[in-house]
Amino acid sequence: MSNEELFVATSVKNWSIVIDRLEKAVSAFSDNDLQLEVSPGRNRVYYLVGHLAALHDRMFPLLGLGERLQAELDGPFVNLPDRASVDISPAADLRRFMFEIHARIREGLGAMSPEDFLRRHADVSEADFQKDPTRNRLAVLQNRTAHAAFHTGQIRLALKK
Amino acid sequence: MSNEELFVATSVKNWSIVIDRLEKAVSAFSDNDLQLEVSPGRNRVYYLVGHLAALHDRMFPLLGLGERLQAELDGPFVNLPDRASVDISPAADLRRFMFEIHARIREGLGAMSPEDFLRRHADVSEADFQKDPTRNRLAVLQNRTAHAAFHTGQIRLALKK
């Protein structure tokens, strides 16, 4: 493996570890228990599953991996806070969306070259990217890895001890 | 910047963003409020500050950055769960330890070459590293970044809305 391939393999592995832990935590809830709050008065696990599914779905265009699968999640799970809209997605569907999105991201990451990871991501302009070349696709992957870990820490609090 | 330098700069930046958010969250508590639990019956923020300080302090030998600053944190904050020992460190000291450790890690990371990041970390044997070269120092940095984000998500829940 070249050094560049090793940098990528290490980052992709870290994403996979975090996503595996997230999926394991989410799988430990019954559909009904997804309604639990992570702490009194805070987000429901249901909301965080939708939120993470939506944010990860947005990685497809950001990383140049094609079209999104579930753009309709943005309204209730990104643009609005928890309980600001009626729950239109059954919990079982939300969970399935998340797992499907993760499986497709894994495929997409596996097909990216080291050079691909250093290209600008789709939300930064060519001019801004010239000024700061760390605004690349690897940064998106690492940012989303940390974001997934952030909410996994919360979701785990709703699990019965 | 070479491609290898860019991979490193992107990863170090992600660590810095996560640590800045952690420090900002921890700074928002009074010394007394560090005693708050992140959720009823769960870890106190105080414990998580000690836990993160200890784990980050362990990064010095793992990354080849020299001696630890606060090895005595391991007993109460890594080997034992919250409330299993008497709180010997005042909250203000714990917080200061964490910030000092972070400042020193930042210096250390800045002095590492891309090749340094791909060397084996101190907790993996040469034989195991040959089998899996992603068990390198970059993996330690990325693992600790995700771990810090995981607990930051919990600490934020104890902040008054």
Side-chain angles (χ1 to χ4, degrees):
Chain A
M1 231 190 284
S2 73
N3 281 359
E4 295 194 10
E5 286 166 340
L6 256 174
F7 282 116
V8 166
T10 305
S11 298
V12 170
K13 187 178 169 187
N14 194 48
W15 161 263
S16 296
I17 290 169
V18 167
I19 293 304
D20 285 351
R21 285 181 187 152
L22 167 62
E23 291 189 349
K24 192 177 165 192
V26 167
S27 298
F29 293 90
S30 67
D31 288 349
N32 281 341
D33 281 354
L34 286 174
Q35 296 297 324
L36 291 169
E37 295 170 330
V38 299
S39 184
R42 301 288 179 155
N43 289 326
R44 291 171 297 160
V45 178
Y46 171 86
Y47 178 80
L48 290 178
V49 171
H51 179 68
L52 288 163
L55 266 292
H56 295 168
D57 194 44
R58 288 162 81 149
M59 289 170 69
F60 292 108
L62 277 172
L63 298 178
L65 296 176
E67 294 295 315
R68 300 183 54 170
L69 303 181
Q70 305 287 349
E72 77 286 356
L73 295 175
D74 280 9
F77 296 110
V78 181
N79 302 331
L80 292 172
D82 192 15
R83 303 181 191 85
S85 61
V86 177
D87 294 339
I88 50 165
S89 303
D93 287 355
L94 265 197
R95 181 159 25 198
R96 185 169 47 79
F97 291 162
M98 170 188 268
F99 291 1
E100 285 174 1
I101 289 163
H102 289 164
R104 286 278 296 277
I105 288 175
R106 197 169 296 220
E107 282 176 29
L109 293 174
M112 287 172 71
S113 71
E115 291 69 32
D116 288 337
F117 280 96
L118 295 181
R119 286 187 223 285
R120 76 180 167 95
H121 65 71
D123 274 1
V124 67
S125 71
E126 188 59 49
D128 287 342
F129 183 61
Q130 292 297 329
K131 277 179 242 163
D132 182 0
T134 67
R135 301 180 71 175
N136 52 43
R137 296 174 193 188
L138 181 68
V140 170
L141 179 68
Q142 295 184 341
N143 172 289
R144 292 313 182 273
T145 302
H147 177 259
F150 180 95
H151 288 304
T152 302
Q154 300 177 328
I155 290 169
R156 285 271 295 274
L157 296 174
L159 276 175
K160 295 183 178 68
K161 283 200 259 198
Chain B
M1 233 189 282
S2 73
N3 280 359
E4 295 194 8
E5 286 166 341
L6 257 176
F7 281 116
V8 166
T10 305
S11 297
V12 170
K13 187 177 169 187
N14 194 49
W15 161 264
S16 297
I17 290 169
V18 167
I19 294 303
D20 286 350
R21 284 182 188 154
L22 166 62
E23 292 189 349
K24 193 177 166 193
V26 167
S27 299
F29 293 89
S30 68
D31 288 350
N32 281 341
D33 280 353
L34 285 175
Q35 296 297 325
L36 291 169
E37 296 171 327
V38 300
S39 184
R42 301 290 179 156
N43 289 325
R44 291 171 299 162
V45 178
Y46 171 87
Y47 179 80
L48 291 178
V49 171
H51 178 68
L52 288 163
L55 266 291
H56 295 169
D57 194 44
R58 289 163 82 149
M59 289 169 70
F60 291 109
L62 276 173
L63 298 178
L65 297 175
E67 295 295 315
R68 300 182 55 172
L69 303 181
Q70 305 287 349
E72 77 287 354
L73 296 175
D74 281 9
F77 296 111
V78 181
N79 304 330
L80 292 171
D82 193 14
R83 302 182 192 85
S85 61
V86 177
D87 294 339
I88 51 166
S89 304
D93 287 355
L94 265 197
R95 183 160 24 199
R96 186 168 45 80
F97 291 163
M98 171 188 265
F99 291 179
E100 285 173 2
I101 289 163
H102 289 164
R104 288 278 295 277
I105 288 175
R106 197 168 297 217
E107 281 176 31
L109 294 174
M112 287 172 71
S113 71
E115 291 69 30
D116 288 337
F117 280 96
L118 294 182
R119 288 188 222 284
R120 73 181 169 95
H121 65 72
D123 274 1
V124 68
S125 70
E126 188 58 48
D128 286 343
F129 183 60
Q130 292 298 328
K131 277 179 241 162
D132 181 1
T134 67
R135 300 181 71 176
N136 52 44
R137 295 173 193 189
L138 181 69
V140 171
L141 179 69
Q142 294 184 342
N143 173 288
R144 293 312 182 274
T145 302
H147 178 259
F150 180 94
H151 287 304
T152 302
Q154 300 177 329
I155 290 169
R156 285 270 297 273
L157 295 175
L159 277 175
K160 293 184 178 70
K161 280 199 262 197

